[in-house]
Amino acid sequence: MAVVAAPRPLLGAVLLLFVSAAWGSAFPLMKDLIHRLPVEDLLAERYLLAALTLFLIKPGCLRGLSRDTWLNGALLGVMFGVGQVGQAMALGSLPSAVSGFAVGCSVVITPILSLVLFKDPVRRRVWAGVALAVAGMAVFTLVRGVEDRGISMLALGVTLTAAALYSGHTLLLGRLSERPTGFPAYALTVIQLFTIGVLTGGFAVRDGISVPVGPSDWTILLHLSVISCALGFLARSHAQAHLPAVPSQILMSTQPLWVAAIAVIWFHEQMGWSMVVGGLLMGGATLLALPSRSEARGKERRRLLFVARRAAKVLESHRIKREDPLRLQRGVAPYIAKSACADSASCPWQTRSLKGGAEPSLERLIERATHIVRAKNLPGPGCCQSVTLLGRCLCDLMEESEQVHTTRLQRWFRS
């Protein structure tokens, strides 16, 4: 059984903020690269290069994995990959601000799915963080202005479905990270990245695959693959072992804040009031998403209880169960009446009593009495004056038993 590490919420928060910053840095770079490379081709090459990078760093990560690990990794990749394909298909029919806000709605969908599917209650403080995150995304996307383009309801529905798949991906990853039997984060990351690359590659291969031309484009692609995808997904897998799914989704929803910060620092865009207000809302959501110490202790306590119950079941299955060699029958012992035998002289109760019945063995009593009398060295004729049994002398019974040994002994006990 694997050793369960204690959750460290602060470490998980730092890792998820790195994930949000890495994914946020990809947006302005992709915005520049998609003018020279189709979106579907960029997605396929990005995820396949990320998976290949992690595999080359640790080639033995896929050895000896269980069947459940392969299935879970493939399922995670399918959920995220289908979401990426759907988002890319709908992007041409939606303004970029609307598409970004619809994808960000996963921060609302995640607690709803957690409550409906797993009956996990969400604290009011976390709901407040969700509300602040949605308000911050609205300020960064919708308030800053929407392009003068029509909105396709079908494309909007596809984008919201992609957001629901992202929420399901977060919930499933959180459930897998809570398993005390072990959480192979590295192997799961490689498997799901390969799966996402295959799905997006199947979508991109329809019109042929295009590759970057110049060194600058290859540099951007390597950044998107190694920093944003490989390290981002790996850090997310490790981070969700320390934080629940809903706070994790809130922290990852701060991507617009990082996009705005990169745009101001690197591309020298002017900072407006929307960036300030949106940044304050996102900062408040981040603070509310961090779990308290009591919540972290409660999660650790639930993990330990789960491990204790599992260990008890394993020990119970390995315990040697000894069978009773006697195999006694239940119920009252039967009593055989004298009238049950046609020939009463040969009936067993004349010589041996029935175990548990009312008649003891007369031969056994006489034998024991013989040992008692001989041990006391009492004289033969005088013993009859002191020891009697229902009017008969015990010495006479002893002599009679020694001279005649037959199955038909006189019975001195009433039946």
Side-chain angles (χ1 to χ4, degrees), residues 112-153:
I112 296 176
L113 288 180
S114 177
L115 189 61
V116 172
L117 297 179
F118 305 114
K119 304 296 186 295
D120 289 339
V122 181
R123 296 179 178 269
R124 294 180 180 178
R125 179 170 54 82
V126 178
W127 278 115
V130 170
L132 289 180
V134 173
M137 282 187 297
V139 170
F140 274 115
T141 55
L142 302 180
V143 176
R144 295 183 66 181
V146 180
E147 303 140 25
D148 221 357
R149 293 173 53 188
I151 297 177
S152 171
M153 298 306 297

Side-chain angles (χ1 to χ4, degrees), residues 62-85:
L62 301 180
R63 295 177 185 173
L65 296 178
S66 63
R67 182 171 175 266
D68 289 341
T69 302
W70 284 99
L71 291 177
N72 291 326
L75 180 59
L76 288 170
V78 167
M79 295 176 70
F80 201 92
V82 172
Q84 288 278 282
V85 172

